Amino acid sequence: MNEEKKSLNFIEQIIEEDLANGLPKEKLRFRFPPEPNGYLHIGHAASICLNFGLGLKYNAPVNLRFDDTNPAKEEQEYVDSIKHDVEWLGFKWDKELYSSDYFQQLFDWTIMLIKEGKAYVDNQSSEQMAIQKGTPTEPGTNSPNRDRSIEENLELFMKMKNGDFEEGSHVLRAKIDMKHTNMHMRDPIMYRILKKHHHRTGNDWCIYPMYDWTHGESDYIEQISHSICTLEFKSHRDLYDWYVDQVYDASLLELRPKQREFARRNLSYTVMSKRKLLQLVEEGVVNGWDDPRMPTISGLRRRGYSPESIRNFSDVAGIAKRDNVTDVALLEFCIKDHLNKTAPRVMAVLDPVKVVITNYPEGKEEFLDASYNDYEEGFGSRNVPFSREIYIEKEDFREEANKKFFRLKLGKEVRLKNAYIIKAESCVKNENGEVTEIHCIYDEDSLSGSGSEASKRKVKGTLHWVSVPHAEKAEVRVYDRLFTNEAPDAQKDKDFKEFINPESLNTIEAFLEPSLKNAKILDRFQFQRLGYFCVDKDSTSEKLVFNRTVSLRDSWAKMEK
């Protein structure tokens, strides 16, 4: 029992304490509240996995509630992408809800607060209000409009609603305490004027509630038991509670929601600000929100990340109370770990040099049985064509090399994966001294799996290869980290874009074994000895396009070392 308690994260401990103190388990309800002003990223995945994971753990419903209170930045495109991301991660919501569903109820409650003398209209400039708000160490001063009569506030607020005032000219503020030690409690804004078309309510409203006013009241309407936010909202908790107190009626035996906070997920070599990600998109630094270099869920999906790997990453990285930075290498480990168990292994050559097997009969071809995974059952196999001419990687050949080079060199043997043992005898070079062709001989009796004595011969190197006449040409996009700095947006006096990695994308023409011709978009493979790759959405039957998800070797660790 003690071991089980130790394994709980602190959010689960809070829930367990509430249950022990009498909260009925059937009253548990959670929510994931995205703002539809951009695509979700890997940081949001932590919140998705936390909230929906709690729903699964406690068999409790989870609402998907869109915080759509700012029509200036919100679009239906973002709503659709968020729903797709949550579903792709493997989660199902109970109700699809929107803060805009509650605009009328929020307005009615606001009228009640004005009538109770708890809200007033202020027509000062934002600069004047900011000066009056004071500082964390100095109390604020009251607005000259704070003591307007209830009748005047009602009249002005209705004029705001009816569109009689310009944007920025009037706001509605809660009347709390301008000397409060928590700055958020110093008469916060409840409504502002925005004459913008809303993606759901159209032009019905030209005043929109602020997030703080909307947040707790929406939780109360939906009877959310635990409203879990990221850490920057901790200082907003006093205001959350104050707003809920204004509408909560204990006599109705309704649940009173509580806000609790956890640290947002920050990732090294990454920016997580939606504003900065939007900047990358709008300035053409990347090719859209789903560019495989982006930390968005759609970008990771396109790059070849699996929902299982992202859920596992969220689980392993854990839930923290304090801000921290998670090493991106952990995310890369999680996708390697999952694809190592699930991705078929195939052969592709990204930087080819031709090998001619001089004693292999011209015009002959044979089809060799090759397993998709030599280490696990159930993957099946395919036929791989073999011929007199094949491609291997340039780096797999040297004319001369020391004893630690176990690949192809003149006078030495290597095994071709699933095929024969070959021996390099000579090479052809161009005018620049670059090797363009390697001439080899093969041991006819050494075919892998044939059971012959020659097939059992031990040679130290095994190379992947592709038959030249059967090779499928493909465009391969070799992606790397988008930034060269571990904390690109935390450097003083430097713009985060100064750390854009110029080598974050290299496009090459590669040669693949023909079994990949029918690969479908988002199919994932291990290109043996090279890395994990995924079929991109740009791929067609005429032109295959693959993205590198992650390499097998961690070149960054070597560089840093």
Side-chain angles (χ1 to χ4, degrees):
M1 192 71 179
N2 289 334
E3 289 181 3
E4 192 174 317
K5 282 188 177 180
K6 285 180 184 176
S7 68
L8 298 177
N9 64 50
F10 76 95
I11 296 290
E12 290 168 337
Q13 289 172 1
I14 290 169
I15 294 169
E16 290 292 337
E17 287 173 11
D18 289 340
L19 292 173
N21 290 329
L23 175 66
K25 192 173 182 182
E26 61 271 15
K27 287 280 190 180
L28 288 177
R29 180 179 285 270
F30 309 100
R31 92 286 179 265
F32 173 62
E35 185 179 355
N37 63 354
Y39 281 58
L40 299 183
H41 54 59
I42 189 66
H44 296 111
S47 181
I48 293 171
C49 292
L50 173 59
N51 282 290
F52 283 94
L54 290 171
L56 291 170
K57 178 181 177 70
Y58 292 102
N59 193 28
V62 183
N63 290 350
L64 178 62
R65 183 177 76 234
F66 291 93
D67 166 34
D68 57 345
T69 58
N70 187 355
K73 296 182 178 180
E74 294 155 6
E75 297 177 20
Q76 186 62 38
E77 174 194 351
Y78 298 142
V79 171
D80 295 338
S81 73
I82 288 166
K83 289 165 63 176
H84 181 44
D85 287 345
V86 174
E87 288 180 318
W88 178 76
L89 282 170
F91 299 113
K92 293 182 180 179
W93 54 86
D94 180 50
K95 295 177 182 177
E96 180 182 326
L97 300 167
Y98 296 80
S99 293
S100 55
D101 295 338
Y102 314 130
F103 280 174
Q104 186 61 50
Q105 177 65 78
L106 290 166
F107 177 81
D108 293 344
W109 277 334
T110 302
I111 296 294
M112 179 188 77
L113 261 63
I114 295 174
K115 288 180 178 179
E116 292 176 353
K118 295 177 179 176
Y120 64 97
V121 174
D122 201 341
N123 60 331
Q124 297 183 98
S125 70
S126 57
E127 291 79 13
Q128 287 173 310
M129 286 188 278
I131 292 169
Q132 291 162 3
K133 202 160 189 179
T135 69
T137 57
E138 297 176 355
T141 56
N142 288 347
S143 163
N145 300 311
R146 197 173 196 265
D147 294 323
R148 274 182 167 142
S149 69
I150 289 171
E151 292 72 25
E152 188 180 1
N153 282 318
L154 286 170
E155 181 184 352
L156 288 171
F157 187 55
M158 290 306 297
K159 284 186 175 181
M160 286 174 62
K161 178 183 183 293
N162 294 334
D164 295 345
F165 299 133
E166 294 303 310
E167 289 186 7
S169 64
H170 293 69
V171 294
L172 183 80
R173 299 175 70 178
K175 189 188 287 188
I176 307 178
D177 182 0
M178 290 300 291
K179 294 180 172 58
H180 202 287
T181 53
N182 185 334
M183 296 280 286
H184 295 294
M185 299 293 282
R186 296 181 186 177
D187 292 8
I189 295 172
M190 294 177 67
Y191 275 90
R192 76 286 207 202
I193 301 168
L194 282 175
K195 295 182 178 180
K196 302 285 192 298
H197 181 85
H198 190 280
H199 71 104
R200 294 188 76 245
T201 61
N203 298 316
D204 292 350
W205 297 86
C206 64
I207 55 169
Y208 289 92
M210 299 297 287
Y211 178 76
D212 281 326
W213 169 232
T214 311
H215 177 198
E217 315 315 278
S218 300
D219 288 341
Y220 178 53
I221 292 169
E222 296 174 18
Q223 288 290 277
I224 301 301
S225 62
H226 297 80
S227 185
I228 301 165
C229 307
T230 44
L231 208 55
E232 69 265 30
F233 289 100
K234 187 167 186 176
S235 60
H236 296 241
R237 196 200 291 183
D238 288 342
L239 183 55
Y240 178 99
D241 288 336
W242 189 88
Y243 278 144
V244 172
D245 285 341
Q246 307 315 306
V247 300
Y248 174 63
D249 187 344
S251 67
L252 297 176
L253 299 177
E254 290 178 331
L255 182 143
R256 190 190 184 290
K258 63 160 62 175
Q259 174 184 304
R260 293 296 181 265
E261 308 81 19
F262 73 102
R264 67 162 61 220
R265 175 86 69 239
N266 294 307
L267 208 59
S268 63
Y269 297 98
T270 311
V271 297
M272 295 297 222
S273 159
K274 270 200 270 190
R275 179 180 58 81
K276 289 175 180 174
L277 294 177
L278 178 61
Q279 201 176 335
L280 294 175
V281 173
E282 289 181 337
E283 295 180 13
V285 176
V286 295
N287 300 313
W289 284 98
D290 69 344
D291 187 301
R293 292 166 291 181
M294 290 279 273
T296 55
I297 296 173
S298 55
L300 292 167
R301 175 169 58 243
R302 186 175 175 186
R303 183 153 171 173
Y305 277 75
S306 63
E308 294 89 346
S309 67
I310 293 175
R311 293 201 307 266
N312 187 44
F313 169 69
S314 294
D315 185 47
V316 172
I319 301 299
K321 289 184 179 181
R322 297 180 181 176
D323 282 327
N324 59 83
V325 177
T326 303
D327 193 333
V328 70
L330 178 61
L331 177 62
E332 292 166 347
F333 167 80
C334 288
I335 186 59
K336 287 180 192 178
D337 183 60
H338 185 243
L339 293 181
N340 183 50
K341 300 168 186 172
T342 58
R345 289 156 163 76
V346 295
M347 293 192 291
V349 176
L350 304 190
D351 187 19
V353 62
K354 185 186 287 187
V355 171
V356 179
I357 304 171
T358 55
N359 63 333
Y360 193 89
E362 290 192 39
K364 180 182 176 181
E365 62 179 30
E366 55 187 310
F367 291 86
L368 310 177
D369 183 60
S371 171
Y372 279 118
N373 191 324
D374 293 336
Y375 310 102
E376 298 282 346
E377 297 292 330
F379 277 80
S381 63
R382 78 283 188 200
N383 286 326
V384 178
F386 186 79
S387 65
R388 177 184 170 91
E389 295 185 351
I390 61 172
Y391 290 125
I392 65 169
E393 300 286 349
K394 281 181 183 174
E395 68 171 20
D396 283 343
F397 173 74
R398 292 183 191 169
E399 290 180 78
E400 296 179 3
N402 61 34
K403 292 180 179 180
K404 292 183 179 179
F405 186 76
F406 298 130
R407 288 169 273 180
L408 189 62
K409 52 189 173 183
L410 292 180
K412 298 295 182 180
E413 292 183 321
V414 294
R415 175 171 290 285
L416 299 175
K417 179 71 176 171
N418 302 305
Y420 298 95
I421 294 171
I422 60 171
K423 181 179 180 181
E425 295 199 312
S426 63
C427 60
V428 179
K429 299 180 183 179
N430 61 18
E431 60 274 14
N432 297 321
E434 298 167 333
V435 174
T436 58
E437 201 169 276
I438 306 160
H439 290 180
C440 298
I441 57 172
Y442 85 121
D443 183 343
E444 185 178 358
D445 296 325
S446 64
L447 179 63
S448 292
S450 64
S452 67
E453 287 302 313
S455 71
K456 298 175 185 176
R457 275 202 299 124
K458 301 293 183 184
V459 289
K460 286 188 175 178
T462 299
L463 306 184
H464 64 278
W465 53 275
V466 173
S467 168
V468 171
H470 303 92
E472 285 288 332
K473 283 186 182 179
E475 177 183 311
V476 172
R477 298 167 183 173
V478 179
Y479 290 102
D480 218 323
R481 295 174 188 171
L482 185 56
F483 296 98
T484 57
N485 189 282
E486 190 172 3
D489 56 352
Q491 306 304 311
K492 288 183 178 179
D493 305 322
K494 287 200 173 183
D495 187 272
F496 75 103
K497 288 179 293 181
E498 291 183 38
F499 300 104
I500 295 287
N501 178 10
E503 297 298 317
S504 65
L505 169 60
N506 287 302
T507 301
I508 60 176
E509 183 181 72
F511 295 92
L512 319 180
E513 64 170 76
S515 72
L516 291 169
K517 182 174 177 58
N518 298 319
K520 296 180 176 60
I521 292 170
L522 293 185
D523 280 355
R524 307 178 189 96
F525 300 90
Q526 184 195 105
F527 289 179
Q528 291 188 34
R529 302 176 62 239
L530 299 174
Y532 294 100
F533 293 77
C534 171
V535 184
D536 187 73
K537 68 176 185 179
D538 293 340
S539 197
T540 66
S541 56
E542 289 75 37
K543 182 184 179 183
L544 286 169
V545 180
F546 278 82
N547 298 324
R548 185 175 75 176
T549 307
V550 65
S551 63
L552 291 178
R553 292 166 292 206
D554 187 355
S555 57
W556 282 76
K558 290 181 181 177
M559 286 166 60
E560 287 169 356
K561 189 175 180 181

